[in-house]
Every structure is written in structure tokens, then in C-alpha cells.
Amino acid sequence: MWIFLRKAVRLSAIYLYGATGEILTEKSGHLNLGTPGIMCMGAIGGCLGVRAYVGTLSSLAQMNGFAVVLIGIICAFLFGMLGGLIYSFLTVTLRCNQNVTGLTLTTFGAGLMSFVLSSIDQTGFSEASEYFRMGFVNGQDLDWFSTLFLNYGTLVYLAIAIAIIAAIVLKKTRTGLNLRAVGENPATADAAGISVGKYRYFATLTGAGIAGLGGLCYIMDSLLGTIDYEVEAFGWIAVALVIFSIWKPDLAIVGSLLFGILLNAADAMQILNKGLIKTLPYVVTVIVLVITSIINKRETQPPAALGTSYFREER
Amino acid sequence: MEKTVAIELKGITKTFGEVVANKDVNLDVYRGEVLSILGENGSGKTTLMNMIAGIYFPDEGQIFIDGKEVVIKSPKDAFAHKIGMIHQHFKLVDVFSAADNIILGEKAPRFDMRAEVQRVKDEYAEENKRFEEYDESEHPGALAYLQKPKYHSNAQLNLKLMSLPFEEIGRKIKFNWLSRNRVKAVQSIANRFGFQIDLKKKIYDMSVSEKQTVEIIKVLYRGADILILDEPTAVLTPQEIEKLFDVIRNMRDSGKSIIIITHKLNEVMEISDRVAVLRKGEHIATVNTAETNEQELTEMMVGKKVSLNIDRTLPHDVVDRLIVKNLTAVDHEGVKVLNNISFEARSGEILGIAGIAGSGQRQLLEAIAGLYKVNEGEISYIDPFNNNEKVDLRSKTPVQIRELGVRLSFVPEDRLGMGLVGNMDLVDNMMLRSYRKGKSIFLDRKAPKILADKIVEELEVVTPSTHTAVRKLSGGNVQKVLVGREIAASPTVLMAAYPVRGLDINSSYTIYNLLNEQKEKGVAVIFVGEDLDVLIELCDRILVICAGQVTGIVEGRRAIKEQLGLLMTKTDVDENQISIDELTIKQETEQGGEEQ
């Protein structure tokens, strides 16, 4: 039972990265459907980083756990930001259609991932993964508390920390207030002296970086260092999770956990049709959409300017 | 007292593509005055003000503030020069509270490192000096030790100086944190200028007048000395306008410069000290309000003599055309938007509908047009072409209504949403009403093309061609196209919701005359308006509604503005009250009739 929950929590971290990143982006008024692709790019970045680090070592025994985790995280973040940069250059500066740009980016990221990672040398990945998965308490026979709370890798704790920080920044700081204003009504924000372009770049880049960590988390934490190309599917669920958590990173923690349990249940239960259970996250999202539309409270609605570009001198 | 120039514009020019919005405009505004900017639609008033507020950047020309040339590239620069603009469409974030909207975008006070270093040095030197001059014998007792100044060594000073960057970061973080008492700072500004407002209320819960107050406080909170108000009175009731004018006078007396953009001449005369007139992007003249009159201003504005009188003829051959009885409708939240409404629209008569925006005018018209679901009541149409037979219109779709032979034209308030398709050209928009008539499977563009040409010519629509997307026309021209199309259908009932909203005087009078023409042709005209002066001048009868209820039906020739204003804001309808109102009005009409 505890092991099952623990596995769900580990899976949920992947969703949580994608969702937190996407929430930050959407709060600035950008519907970044490129998130799945950006998660792929984060996975590429993380793998390349780890690979480069392993390449400098004469033997795997020399591997420094702290260094490998840090390098992985930084590279994944930077590659994610690179994806975000492509996206925001196209949508903020050139004011392209956001949906088209995002979908293109997803296709691009997924393709790039299978292109780059299919030929990568995977030596040292499983050792690196051990470091990524090292928790406060390690070992086989742990009591339930340690299993459930202390035995996770860095990336899982980081996901929750980032989500909490994002929630606080959005709700409690002027930066967050300004960011939300940009996403709700860019003309108003602009008239109030907020640089809409700067905030949109900032939010999209940070969001993309965070989403990129999701890809790294998938490879290094969930897959134990082996490579699989299913990141994109996780990305789509992360986008659905944004709606599920009504654009609140703190709710996204709960939501991602639920989604993690649902996905894990598909693997755990052999009797039922797996495919059917895998649709559950989407079904739940649809239900949430129905509920929020019935409640019709302004606070549960998406940012008003979501999906629109802003040009000050437009007439 | 000699007046000083607050802001001066020299040779400002701005073009959008090929359209010249402003051409070589020179203008100055003094401290402590109210300047009105007057001009027709598309005369470049708002563009000019947007350039001062940093929304647009002028192509040519200079702006001087307090005699110094400045460059205003963004709203941020405008704030730095203490310029604040209250836009016609409020720039507020709906889901934020009033206080959050007001503090939005506020910058942290600058941390001047050099000054801070000096301050710390001075402070320490001062205390060291006091330490040296301190005479212990003068301060006996146990407290002496505590009061004794401390000596700071150089090392301590350096340590303190080194901590300054951290202090800077600390202050930034503290500023960035949204503390609970952020409301207090805003409240004190609101109190200073005597505004009554709940700053914790969300914007979407606010009335238009409250939103405007928030906008004004926002600008004042930013420390603006030059306030620009873009058509501030367009959506307010007479009482609210009075309140706003008091506020403006208050601000003027405290030395601020106020620039008001408006179409309404009576307000210009009432509030402003000077009037600047723009025409087709050019500055025509600036005159002292006391030395001019409405007629002269209009002529300057339009460039030719115009008659400002609405030619209201006495209605003839009046018969009931549309009868609405006990109409009640509920919106999706269960609120009664229409509550027991009864009235008759008569042929050859203009029935005005007055009320604060959102009192149910829209739903009423849409219900009649078959676009809004009605819960109770009757809507019946008396068909003049069919032996005055009664036709029930309730709960019929627009197509069904048309098939019944009812000639109902509707000019909705949302011109480009419900009336016309913005991305389609004039011809295609004409076709929206007639495409069903075609017999071939291909479109026939000939008839609509002729109609579009006719409308362009007769109503003086300014457009490059009839194949221009309607979206690209100015508000007044869009309205002319829409009204033209609806009238071309030769209706027997013409409903127009705010047909002159945002239109300049000249276009407005064109529309009024069109409505009057229709009335004389025997059409029953229903006119929803917001300008009470116009309603009183134009309409034969005025129906006042408040919160979905009819609070009175007033004879247009006998109506008084204040009385309408009161009826518009009456919250609870007292049956007796109304009958008394109607009685007095009736008496007045009778007396009026005797006089005539």
C-alpha cells in the first residue's frame, strides 16, 4: 500500500513540473501547448548534461552524486528554457498564433528527443539515476512514514517546493500580481507601467524551464535512467492538470497526486483494461471543466487574455 | 495668480498606415485648470491623449512638461512625468480587488546606494561625536548607562556598509510582498480626496461609476498632476455625473491639470475653463469657455453650420403596433432581469427607453427580437398588412418571426458582435439580411452591392470602398452601415439600442434624423438611449426601467431630466408611487396640451 502510494507520488512529480510550468506561462496569458515538447527537450538536456559529465570521468566510481544531480537539473532547465525561448520569440515578439506555435513545438520536441536520445551513449545513466533517486532515508525495509515521506529523490521534493513557491509568488507578491494582471488584461497592465513583453518572456521561460525538469524527472527518477519516448503523453496530462487545478499551483500538487494514483492504478490493476484507466485523468479534467462552468465564479475561470497576443498600438 | 504651463505640445503628428490621426497639433495646458478636448469621431482626440499617456508614440513633434522637453515612450514614462490617463474603456483587472488594481505596477522606491552610504556615515559620525561630548556627570543614575551614546569603530562602520546591498535586497523583497495593510495606503489617498469606496470589493462586482472612481484613485495614487479623462460621463447617470464634476473641481482647486475628452457640449460648458477643438486631426482653436457658446463650438468642430435641433413632429395616425404585457425573464443565474414589464409601442411614435446601463434594456429588446428566452408574459404584434391581426411573438426565433410577416428591425448595442460581422465587407454584411431570398445556389452580390452603395452615399459613410472590412471603419461609420441596413428592410417596428454610443455630434444627428424619418413613415420606433437630454428631445414617450422593472412612463415633451434620473435609480418599486408619478405627468401633459 505504501509502496503503491510512493510510486504514485514519484509519478506525480512529472505531472507537477509540467503543470507548474504551464500555470506560470498561462498566468501571463500564453497558452503554451508546447509543454509536452518542452518536457522532451528538458529530457534531452538532462541526458546530454549527464552524458557530458560522465564523459569527463575516467571511471564511473568517481561520479560525484551532488555534481551529477546539479548538472542534470541545470541542463534540463536550460534546454526547457530554450524551448520556451523559441515559443516566446514567436508569440511575444513576432505575435504568431499561440496554438499553432505550441503544437509545432511539441512535434519538434518529441522528434528531437527520439533523434538525439536514440543514439546517445547511456553508460553511467543507471548510476546517475541512483543519485537522482537518493532520499533522506534509503534502504529496503522502511517503516511507512519513511517510505511515504523521506524516501524520494531530489527531483520529487524539488517539484513540490517549486509548486509551493510558485503558489506563494503568484498569490502573495507584487511580481505575481503584475504577472496575473498581464494575463488577465495586458492593456491594463501596460497602462499601469508593467512591461507586458518582459513579464511574458519571464513567465514563459521560467515555466518552460520548470516543465523541462519534468522530462528529466521522468528519465532519471521514474525510468531509473533508461530512455523511453513517452514524455509527450505526460506533457498532455500536465496541460490537462492545469485546468484541473484551476490555475493554482498549490492545487496542482493535489491534482498531480490524484493523476499519479490513477495512472499507477492502471499499472497495478491487471484485471481491467489498462487503456480505459489511462483515460481517467482526461475524464476527471472534463468533469472539473463542467463543474467550474456550472459554478461560474470569476476566480475559477482561465486568465481572461489567455491565448491572445498583445500589441500596444493596435487599433 | 499667474498660471503656469503644465504641459505643452508642439507640432505633434501621428499616422497609422495611411491614416493621419493627428497633424501638427499645438496645445498647452495650465496648472489648475480643466481643459476640454472637443472633436468629432476620428478627429484624433483620443490618439493625441494616448500620446501624452505613452500608449502611442508621436511620429513628429515635441512634448514639454514644465518647460522641459520630454520623451514619453511608454506609460511608465508618463507616470514618471506625473501624467495619468483614465481611459474610456476602463483599464481594470476584473478579478482583482479595487486596492490591488490601484497598486498594480507600482515600482519600489529607488535604493540610492551612494546616498545610503552617506547616510550611514553621517549617522555614525554624529553618534561618535555625541559619544565624545558626552559628560557622564550630567546624567546620574542607572539610566545613564542606557542613554550613553555608543562608539562605532571603523570596522563596525565598514561592516554596516557591507551589509547595505543585503539591506537593499531585503527592502525589495519586503516591498514585493503583498502585505495585508496595502489597503491602508490606498485608503488614505481615497480619504484625502473624499472618495467613498470599498477597496476590498472585486471589480466585477462594481458599478460603472464605482469602477471610474477606482480609476481616478489609481491615477491619484500614482501621484499624477496631469489627469486625462477620456469620455468619463458616457456611462454615468446625471447624479453620478454631478458627483464626478465635484471631484474634478476639487482636483482642479488643488492645482492639478485636468483634460477631459467629451462629445457632450453641455458638459463642456459646465465643467471646463478652456476648450480645445480638434477637427480631422488638426487643432482648430483653443478658446475660453466663458467666451463661447455651444453653437460656435459645434461649427468649429464640424467645420460648417449645423442645426442642433432635433425636428420632432407630433405623431400622427398612432396605433398600437407592439404590445408587451407582464414580461418576465430570468437569466442563467436565476436573477430576474425583466420583471413584469408592460408597454405598447405605437406606430408613428418614438418610444424612448431610459435606464442605467444593464437595467434590462438589452434583454428586453432581445426578448422582442426572439433572441432571449422569456419566462412569463406576452409579446404581440399588430400586423398592419393583415387586417391588424394580432400575432404572438413570444418564444419565436428570429426566422419564425420573419416568416410570420413581421417586419422587425433591430439595431443591437453590440454593433460588431450582433449587428455586423467585422471581418466581412459592407456588401457581405448587407447580405446577412437577405441571403435567404436568393434562389440560385450561388450568391447574388448585385442587390446587396447596390444597397451598400446607396447607404454609403445617402448616409455619408466614410469608407475606401464597399469592399472594406467593416471592422476597419470608425464607430460612427459602422453604426451608419448598420442602421442603414436595418432601415432598408422597410420595417414596421425599428428597435435601436444605443445607436449613437460613441458617435460624434454630427453623426448622432444624422442617426436621430433617420429615426425621425422612420417615425414619420409610420414605423414604431423603440430607442434605447443613455443621454437623457436627447431622449427628452427626441422621444414622444419615455419608458424608464430600473433593475428590470418599469418605474415610469413619461411623456417626452413634458419630461424633466432630474425626474428621469430619479426614476432610473429608484430601487424598490412602490405601486402607489408610480401611479402618483404618472398622475402628475398626465396632469402636466394636459396642461401642456392646453398651452399649445
Side-chain angles (χ1 to χ4, degrees):
Chain A
M1 174 67 190
W2 307 122
I3 304 285
F4 171 82
L5 273 179
R6 176 171 175 273
K7 215 174 158 196
V9 171
R10 278 175 58 190
L11 277 174
S12 74
I14 307 167
Y15 296 136
L16 190 52
Y17 278 119
T20 312
E22 181 69 9
I23 287 173
L24 282 183
T25 311
E26 289 198 11
K27 277 289 181 188
S28 78
H30 270 171
L31 182 63
N32 188 356
L33 292 179
T35 294
I38 284 167
M39 286 171 80
C40 291
M41 291 187 73
I44 299 170
C47 289
L48 287 180
V50 172
R51 173 72 211 118
Y53 175 72
V54 171
T56 62
L57 304 173
S58 48
S59 82
L60 285 178
Q62 282 181 335
M63 192 185 278
N64 180 326
F66 182 71
V68 78
V69 170
L70 195 67
I71 287 172
I73 287 175
I74 289 174
C75 288
F77 199 85
L78 286 179
F79 263 70
M81 278 174 87
L82 188 69
L85 189 67
I86 299 171
Y87 177 84
S88 33
F89 178 72
L90 284 168
T91 55
V92 181
T93 310
L94 302 179
R95 290 192 282 278
C96 295
N97 182 304
Q98 295 182 11
N99 297 343
V100 177
T101 311
L103 290 172
T104 315
L105 193 62
T106 292
T107 318
F108 170 73
L112 193 70
M113 184 172 173
S114 47
F115 174 69
V116 175
L117 294 191
S118 60
S119 56
I120 199 169
D121 177 8
Q122 291 185 37
T123 14
F125 272 32
S126 59
E127 287 80 0
S129 170
E130 300 243 323
Y131 288 115
F132 272 102
R133 283 179 289 129
M134 196 176 280
F136 294 108
V137 182
N138 298 294
Q140 284 300 314
D141 297 312
L142 298 169
D143 58 308
W144 68 269
F145 186 79
S146 301
T147 315
L148 209 50
F149 291 104
L150 301 175
N151 189 16
Y152 295 113
T154 323
L155 285 170
V156 176
Y157 294 116
L158 190 65
I160 293 166
I162 287 177
I164 291 171
I165 291 170
I168 291 172
V169 166
L170 280 176
K171 207 171 176 183
K172 281 285 174 191
T173 67
R174 280 176 196 260
T175 316
L177 186 74
N178 294 354
L179 180 65
R180 279 186 285 144
V182 167
E184 289 290 341
N185 194 336
T188 298
D190 193 20
I194 298 166
S195 168
V196 174
K198 225 185 263 174
Y199 266 90
R200 287 196 157 177
Y201 261 102
F202 163 76
T204 312
L205 288 184
T206 318
I210 294 169
L213 292 180
L216 177 74
C217 184
Y218 179 60
I219 301 269
M220 287 299 169
D221 198 295
S222 302
L223 292 181
L224 320 175
T226 57
I227 288 170
D228 185 329
Y229 307 105
E230 240 185 71
V231 181
E232 198 190 332
F234 279 85
W236 288 121
I237 295 193
V239 174
L241 182 58
V242 172
I243 301 164
F244 179 86
S245 54
I246 48 173
W247 291 268
K248 288 192 171 79
D250 40 351
L251 278 181
I253 300 177
V254 183
S256 65
L257 193 61
L258 180 69
F259 281 23
I261 290 172
L262 288 177
L263 185 80
N264 212 11
D267 292 336
M269 279 188 273
Q270 302 289 326
I271 332 139
L272 274 166
N273 189 343
K274 260 192 194 179
L276 205 61
I277 292 205
K278 277 188 177 167
T279 61
L280 277 177
Y282 300 101
V283 174
V284 173
T285 303
V286 170
I287 292 170
V288 168
L289 272 176
V290 170
I291 293 170
T292 51
S293 120
I294 289 171
I295 294 172
N296 198 18
K297 229 181 124 202
R298 293 298 292 272
E299 279 80 359
T300 59
Q301 298 302 311
L306 188 63
T308 56
S309 347
Y310 176 65
F311 177 44
R312 188 189 286 160
E313 297 211 357
E314 196 160 319
R315 276 171 66 103
Chain B
M1 197 184 82
E2 185 66 23
K3 282 196 164 173
T4 51
V5 176
I7 184 165
E8 188 181 3
L9 307 180
K10 264 191 189 164
I12 298 285
T13 299
K14 175 80 189 173
T15 52
F16 292 99
E18 285 170 16
V19 185
V20 181
N22 284 118
K23 196 177 159 197
D24 196 24
V25 175
N26 297 307
L27 189 71
D28 42 39
V29 187
Y30 296 110
R31 292 232 170 273
E33 77 158 356
V34 179
L35 175 79
S36 287
I37 308 253
L38 199 60
E40 299 190 82
N41 287 107
S43 61
K45 303 173 304 254
T46 305
T47 311
L48 185 68
M49 290 304 113
N50 274 335
M51 279 189 276
I52 303 177
I55 305 284
Y56 299 148
F57 189 70
D59 298 337
E60 277 169 45
Q62 297 151 296
I63 300 173
F64 296 88
I65 289 175
D66 295 328
K68 267 180 270 169
E69 184 173 354
V70 294
V71 177
I72 304 173
K73 277 195 172 155
S74 68
K76 230 189 276 182
D77 295 346
F79 282 132
H81 297 299
K82 303 198 164 192
I83 300 167
M85 179 155 173
I86 293 146
H87 296 267
Q88 188 180 1
H89 307 286
F90 297 138
K91 305 242 176 194
L92 296 171
V93 180
D94 273 356
V95 290
F96 289 3
S97 70
D100 281 350
N101 262 294
I102 290 165
I103 63 162
L104 188 68
E106 195 187 353
K107 293 283 169 303
R110 220 170 78 85
F111 191 91
D112 187 349
M113 192 52 86
R114 211 170 277 173
E116 287 293 315
V117 167
Q118 198 56 47
R119 185 185 60 83
V120 171
K121 276 184 181 166
D122 289 349
E123 211 171 85
Y124 278 32
E126 171 79 8
E127 206 158 333
N128 282 354
K129 198 175 151 206
R130 267 173 46 216
F131 176 81
E132 276 154 24
E133 287 168 359
Y134 190 74
D135 186 358
E136 266 178 72
S137 60
E138 281 179 23
H139 306 272
L143 272 174
Y145 180 76
L146 290 174
Q147 286 172 349
K148 189 174 169 183
K150 291 184 185 63
Y151 179 76
H152 301 279
S153 66
N154 263 346
Q156 272 171 322
L157 177 66
N158 286 336
L159 199 68
K160 175 79 185 168
L161 290 181
M162 265 150 67
S163 75
L164 277 178
F166 296 103
E167 201 179 319
E168 182 182 358
I169 295 168
R171 275 197 218 175
K172 279 211 170 125
I173 292 175
K174 196 180 165 209
F175 175 81
N176 205 323
W177 193 257
L178 285 176
S179 61
R180 275 185 199 285
N181 56 17
R182 62 183 184 269
V183 181
K184 270 188 209 157
V186 181
Q187 190 71 58
S188 72
I189 294 276
N191 290 345
R192 198 193 312 159
F193 288 90
F195 292 107
Q196 297 283 329
I197 192 156
D198 176 11
L199 290 167
K200 285 183 185 160
K201 204 167 165 186
K202 292 275 170 69
I203 298 295
Y204 58 75
D205 280 335
M206 286 188 167
S207 70
V208 188
S209 145
E210 278 177 303
K211 284 182 194 172
Q212 190 174 52
T213 312
V214 174
E215 282 276 19
I216 295 174
I217 299 176
K218 184 164 100 181
V219 171
L220 292 173
Y221 180 76
R222 287 299 191 84
D225 278 341
I226 301 164
L227 281 90
I228 305 163
L229 292 98
D230 191 354
E231 297 198 28
T233 57
V235 284
L236 302 182
T237 60
Q239 282 82 357
E240 287 168 336
I241 291 175
E242 259 325 298
K243 250 163 90 186
L244 174 71
F245 282 0
D246 283 341
V247 167
I248 290 176
R249 285 190 198 104
N250 233 336
M251 293 193 292
R252 175 186 64 192
D253 295 341
S254 63
K256 298 193 184 299
S257 314
I258 292 129
I259 307 176
I260 289 193
I261 302 178
T262 177
H263 289 312
K264 298 182 190 168
L265 284 169
N266 56 342
E267 287 169 3
V268 171
M269 302 306 289
E270 187 184 340
I271 189 77
S272 63
D273 299 310
R274 291 190 308 146
V275 193
V277 184
L278 293 185
R279 185 169 74 221
K280 294 192 172 125
E282 286 178 69
H283 178 224
I284 301 300
T286 303
V287 288
N288 288 329
T289 314
E291 295 161 12
T292 186
N293 56 50
E294 296 191 11
Q295 191 63 38
E296 193 183 284
L297 287 175
T298 318
E299 281 167 27
M300 275 199 268
M301 200 162 81
V302 183
K304 59 181 180 201
K305 264 197 183 309
V306 281
S307 141
L308 276 192
N309 296 316
I310 299 174
D311 194 17
R312 175 166 56 187
T313 51
L314 276 173
H316 54 85
D317 300 336
V318 180
V319 264
D320 285 356
R321 180 70 64 224
L322 191 73
I323 301 168
V324 172
K325 238 187 221 165
N326 306 333
L327 197 68
T328 299
V330 176
D331 70 1
H332 63 276
E333 278 170 2
V335 179
K336 269 190 185 174
V337 279
L338 298 177
N339 192 353
N340 204 11
I341 287 190
S342 305
F343 68 91
E344 303 90 35
R346 299 172 188 149
S347 67
E349 193 187 71
I350 298 185
L351 173 71
I353 298 183
I356 302 167
S359 302
Q361 298 97 319
R362 197 180 126 202
Q363 287 85 348
L364 177 60
L365 294 199
E366 285 183 8
I368 296 171
L371 297 167
Y372 201 88
K373 200 176 156 269
V374 177
N375 296 63
E376 277 169 48
E378 288 172 31
I379 306 169
S380 29
Y381 170 78
I382 314 285
D383 194 345
F385 303 107
N386 198 3
N387 299 332
N388 290 338
E389 198 185 313
K390 233 184 187 182
V391 185
D392 181 23
L393 297 191
R394 195 193 140 177
S395 307
K396 293 234 163 52
T397 65
V399 175
Q400 284 173 325
I401 290 178
R402 204 175 299 169
E403 278 166 0
L404 282 169
V406 177
R407 294 211 193 141
L408 192 70
S409 279
F410 182 29
V411 180
E413 63 177 300
D414 185 7
R415 290 168 207 160
L416 287 179
M418 280 176 73
L420 300 167
V421 179
N423 283 328
M424 283 176 14
D425 66 13
L426 269 67
V427 176
D428 285 358
N429 268 301
M430 292 303 138
M431 218 144 75
L432 285 180
R433 233 180 181 288
S434 61
Y435 69 99
R436 279 170 193 278
K437 287 180 192 156
K439 290 196 177 69
S440 141
I441 57 162
F442 296 107
L443 294 174
D444 173 21
R445 282 208 167 76
K446 265 184 216 142
K449 167 82 178 147
I450 293 167
L451 178 58
D453 283 334
K454 196 179 139 208
I455 288 173
V456 168
E457 195 186 322
E458 281 181 8
L459 304 185
E460 295 170 4
V461 178
V462 183
T463 171
S465 82
T466 47
H467 292 293
T468 311
V470 171
R471 176 174 53 87
K472 290 186 180 156
L473 305 183
S474 79
N477 288 316
V478 170
Q479 191 66 16
K480 283 180 192 169
V481 171
L482 178 57
V483 174
R485 186 188 75 191
E486 292 303 313
I487 288 174
S490 55
T492 48
V493 178
L494 175 64
M495 300 191 288
Y498 307 109
V500 299
R501 179 178 276 177
L503 263 61
D504 57 62
I505 296 205
N506 215 11
S507 314
S508 300
Y509 279 83
T510 315
I511 302 283
Y512 299 147
N513 289 335
L514 282 171
L515 293 181
N516 262 326
E517 261 171 42
Q518 292 301 307
K519 161 184 155 185
E520 288 188 18
K521 279 185 189 164
V523 176
V525 180
I526 301 177
F527 169 79
V528 178
E530 45 200 353
D531 189 336
L532 292 182
D533 292 315
V534 169
L535 277 165
I536 290 170
E537 263 187 79
L538 178 71
C539 303
D540 300 297
R541 285 181 308 140
I542 302 169
L543 174 89
V544 187
I545 59 176
C546 172
Q549 279 173 295
V550 176
T551 49
I553 297 181
V554 186
E555 194 70 30
R557 288 175 181 76
R558 289 284 111 196
I560 312 156
K561 202 170 149 191
E562 281 66 30
Q563 173 202 18
L564 288 180
L566 275 178
L567 287 172
M568 278 162 70
T569 48
K570 190 147 67 179
T571 41
D572 55 331
V573 182
D574 187 348
E575 295 289 332
N576 296 326
Q577 185 80 36
I578 288 189
S579 58
I580 290 168
D581 269 347
E582 279 174 338
L583 252 175
T584 49
I585 293 155
K586 235 180 212 167
Q587 280 171 354
E588 278 168 4
T589 354
E590 277 159 14
Q591 284 167 6
E594 281 163 22
E595 279 164 27
Q596 281 169 354

